[in-house]
Amino acid sequence: MRIVPITNENRIGFLPLIPQELLRGREKLFGAIDGSTGCGLAAYEMLEDRCVINWLWVAPEWRGEGVASALLDEVCEDAFSKREHVQLCYKAALDGCEILDLMLMRRGFLVTVGDVLRCELNGEQLLHSPLMRKARPYKQRGTRILPLSKVEPYALRACVVMNEEHEEYQASRADYAGADAERSMALMVDTKVQGCLLIHPDGEPGCLKVSMFYLDEACSNMGIAFLRTCVTHCMEFPEGIKRIRILAASQHVKKMVVTLLGDVTYQTEQVHDAQCYREKSTNDR
């Protein structure tokens, strides 16, 4: 049995294992094959802010033979070849996700299970939300709110490293590097980054995605002012905000989203989240 990437050339041997929706998707597929027989399949998609496992399945007659472990190893190695920090997400509906949790923990991943809140607003909804109607801005001595492009690299790097050391992965290093440096904002206290809102483009101009919101507990009283400044800053761009997507996993961010964004439609789903950081060796650099 061996693991191979599934391509147009060898796909026909795996067709009985591939769900119809994966045939038209952007997922990367790995297959386990014995001779000419496909015996397992893994599908994952590398997004800007995480990797998503959409399918991990082994034919019944091959279960217990290490096929799933071999497929998962291939997915992890492929992901780590692109990033130092890998965040694998998968829905609770995925078959055998509890077993997948255990397999990932054995590979050094920190696994958590929680509800994720998703919502989408247009510019008009955001402009008239409770967040933008709040009274006077709160100002704390020694604080500044700056676009990410104006934050000293060493200050941002120190914030990322601190989170990694405490296994509080707010976002991967690739997320910071790939964020819109003019729209993304940082809350600075003296020379330290104590809050950060990462924004990525989401298709057409004016369509944005909030990929991470981080606020140090010591600055919680600055939260509303910080968010309002971020929104106002984004609206000052020529195209404004046509649409913004928000994904909130932590409890305090979910509560803030529901309270401050008002009457918008929210969706919740249970997801399993596995995160791991692996330093690249000198041979990988």
Side-chain angles (χ1 to χ4, degrees), residues 169-186:
Y169 294 106
Q170 303 296 334
S172 72
R173 297 186 184 189
D175 293 327
Y176 285 95
D180 187 320
E182 297 302 324
R183 288 181 172 88
S184 300
M185 305 289 284

Side-chain angles (χ1 to χ4, degrees), residues 85-88 108-112 169-170 273-277:
H85 169 242
V86 170
Q87 180 183 8
L88 295 170
F109 282 82
L110 176 67
V111 179
T112 57
Y169 294 106
Q170 303 296 334
D273 182 273
Q275 305 196 42
C276 187
Y277 179 80

Side-chain angles (χ1 to χ4, degrees), residues 235-262:
M235 287 182 168
E236 290 173 351
F237 283 77
E239 65 268 28
I241 297 178
K242 294 180 182 177
R243 183 188 73 242
I244 189 163
R245 289 196 298 129
I246 298 170
L247 177 70
S250 67
Q251 290 300 322
H252 78 278
V253 174
K254 284 192 284 188
K255 184 178 179 180
M256 188 180 295
V257 166
V258 172
T259 302
L260 296 179
L261 296 186

Side-chain angles (χ1 to χ4, degrees), residues 1-4 6 9-17 31-40 59 61-62:
M1 187 270 295
R2 56 195 176 94
I3 308 298
V4 297
I6 297 178
E9 288 71 27
N10 65 5
R11 179 172 294 196
I12 191 167
F14 293 96
L15 285 179
L17 308 182
I33 190 168
D34 181 63
S36 60
T37 304
C39 49
E61 62 272 23
W62 279 90

Side-chain angles (χ1 to χ4, degrees), residues 80 83-86 173 276-280 285:
F80 277 117
R83 297 180 182 172
E84 293 181 342
H85 169 242
V86 170
R173 297 186 184 189
C276 187
Y277 179 80
R278 181 188 294 178
E279 287 282 1
K280 289 186 177 181
R285 291 174 177 157

